[in-house]
Amino acid sequence: PDRLRLALDAANIEARPVWKPMHLQPVFRDALMINERVAETLFANGLCLPSGSTLTDADIGRVCDVIEATFDA
């Protein structure tokens, strides 16, 4: 995910790591959890891409272009 995040950043497209799972946050350390491995895998490998109601088709196309170029490289 970091390689893609850096490629998006170079194209002035904001992306960030997925939110830290609740069970890894100190305040929830003792809370009940179910299958934490799924959340940890998503946290380690996931990336939040631009989203929102103001994204245009051109914006989405630009994000897709960077993603495709990154994985084709």
Side-chain angles (χ1 to χ4, degrees):
D2 204 44
R3 182 175 134 214
L4 178 56
R5 186 188 58 76
L6 292 172
L8 289 164
D9 187 57
N12 200 29
I13 298 170
E14 186 178 355
R16 61 171 181 72
V18 172
W19 293 101
K20 188 174 191 175
M22 299 296 277
H23 73 280
L24 295 179
Q25 298 181 30
V27 70
F28 297 108
R29 173 182 32 244
D30 298 322
L32 176 67
M33 63 184 132
I34 298 171
N35 201 355
E36 72 277 2
R37 285 180 246 192
V38 172
E40 290 174 7
T41 299
L42 289 172
F43 180 58
N45 298 299
L47 192 64
C48 291
L49 299 175
S51 62
S53 60
T54 60
L55 280 175
T56 65
D57 288 343
D59 294 333
I60 295 168
R62 210 167 126 250
V63 171
C64 290
D65 289 344
V66 173
I67 292 170
E68 288 174 358
T70 301
F71 287 110
D72 285 344

